[in-house]
Amino acid sequence: MPYSGKIFKGTSSGDIVEGIFQRDSLRDGEVLIMHVLPTGCALGHEGAGYVEEIGPSCKTDWKVGERVGWGYIHHTCGKCRQIPDGLSNENAAPLMCGTCKPTNRIGIVGIGGLGHLTIQFAAKMGCDIVVFSETESKRQEAIAMGARVEDFNTLGLPKPLDTLIVTTATLPDWDNYFKLLSVNCTIIPLTGSEDLTLHGYTVVGTILAGRSMHEAMLAFAARNQVNPIIEKFPLTKAGVEEAVERLQSGRMRYRGALTNEQ
């Protein structure tokens, strides 16, 4: 059967507009799941919802009514597991944006949407965590999540960092960090990269984890109670506008979740 529904998009003026999407019935291999401002693109790319219908000849273990989540997906094998029961939809959706693996001594640049999740995962994995941020108001929140917060005026690190994860929207002044890194430090810039090989460091680029890593991450989050700090907004034009305003003003703590309460 054909489908239609609401969609919220950005415009060249930065305003939010409400539109209608329409599409034909599902084709073979498709599953229906319900769930950058100056462009006419739909806002957001991480979600969680329920399977509404399964297309003809679709090879999947999913069943109608099961909860599933998705991130920046281009292709999937169709064998993904559903969201663990220990995670709500509004907490599971922001987790689809990133994941991490354990390490020894880790430095995290930025306490935002990605940064606050990185702190929690690293703390639950038993890592020694140092966070660098220019926002003093976030200090106590980061400490409560398991981090030690530093600034460059009062640095007193007892030993160098094994891994540096950069979660800020722009890359930092690397010279401020080189003196803090171990000889074989791994640098993971989540927002871009540049040539750092002359310093002898390993630079790891990352955009999207595979499905199996997402499943392992969700299971770890549910088992260890790693939840994003979110602000909930109704999935309406007014709700989207309020969420965008808080995000642009820097007041969002730390992820905005648009929820359909119907």
Side-chain angles (χ1 to χ4, degrees):
M1 69 180 191
Y3 295 93
S4 65
K6 293 182 181 179
I7 187 171
F8 299 95
K9 301 187 295 184
T11 62
S12 59
S13 65
D15 295 331
I16 307 299
V17 297
E18 180 180 319
I20 298 293
F21 78 86
Q22 293 181 330
R23 62 151 295 154
D24 297 330
S25 300
L26 298 183
R27 298 187 295 271
D28 288 355
E30 293 185 336
V31 174
L32 174 67
I33 305 171
M34 306 296 288
H35 83 286
V36 182
L37 287 179
T39 65
C41 297
L43 303 173
H45 61 260
E46 304 126 19
Y50 299 88
V51 175
E52 290 282 325
E53 184 184 359
I54 298 175
S57 304
C58 183
K59 298 179 180 179
T60 179
D61 294 330
W62 288 338
K63 299 178 178 60
V64 172
E66 287 187 329
R67 291 196 311 138
V68 292
W70 64 98
Y72 191 72
I73 294 177
H74 288 280
H75 176 74
T76 175
C77 65
K79 300 296 183 181
C80 306
R81 299 185 181 94
Q82 66 188 85
I83 295 174
D85 291 337
L87 290 172
S88 64
N89 283 352
E90 55 263 33
N91 282 331
L95 291 173
M96 302 297 171
C97 186
T99 184
C100 64
K101 291 184 175 181
T103 186
N104 295 325
R105 183 165 171 76
I106 181 172
I108 300 171
V109 182
I111 310 172
L114 283 175
H116 92 287
L117 288 173
T118 307
I119 294 170
Q120 292 186 73
F121 274 106
K124 295 295 185 179
M125 292 173 178
C127 300
D128 185 9
I129 309 164
V130 180
V131 173
F132 305 94
S133 176
E134 297 179 353
T135 308
E136 179 64 27
S137 62
K138 298 179 180 179
R139 175 182 292 270
Q140 293 305 318
E141 293 173 345
I143 292 174
M145 285 184 271
R148 168 181 172 180
V149 182
E150 295 284 359
D151 59 56
F152 290 108
N153 296 320
T154 59
L155 281 177
L157 301 185
K159 57 182 180 179
L161 302 172
D162 302 311
T163 300
L164 183 70
I165 301 180
V166 181
T167 72
T168 49
T170 58
L171 294 175
D173 181 353
W174 294 112
D175 288 337
N176 288 330
Y177 292 91
F178 289 152
K179 58 187 176 183
L180 308 176
L181 308 181
S182 63
V183 175
N184 295 316
C185 179
T186 297
I187 300 174
I188 306 174
L190 299 183
T191 53
S193 63
E194 59 186 50
D195 187 7
L196 300 172
T197 56
L198 293 179
H199 297 274
Y201 303 127
T202 299
V203 181
V204 179
T206 177
I207 267 189
L208 178 65
R211 298 297 94 201
S212 61
M213 186 176 289
H214 266 91
E215 291 173 3
M217 176 270 297
L218 289 174
F220 182 94
R223 185 171 64 253
N224 292 279
Q225 291 298 295
V226 177
N227 290 309
I229 298 174
I230 64 172
E231 296 185 29
K232 293 174 61 174
F233 304 89
L235 189 56
T236 62
K237 183 174 184 293
V240 174
E241 289 175 337
E242 182 184 0
V244 169
E245 188 279 325
R246 287 189 63 81
L247 179 64
Q248 292 182 326
S249 67
R251 294 182 292 123
M252 183 75 77
R253 295 293 190 273
Y254 281 97
R255 288 289 196 180
L258 297 169
T259 61
N260 186 354
E261 302 297 341
Q262 296 181 354

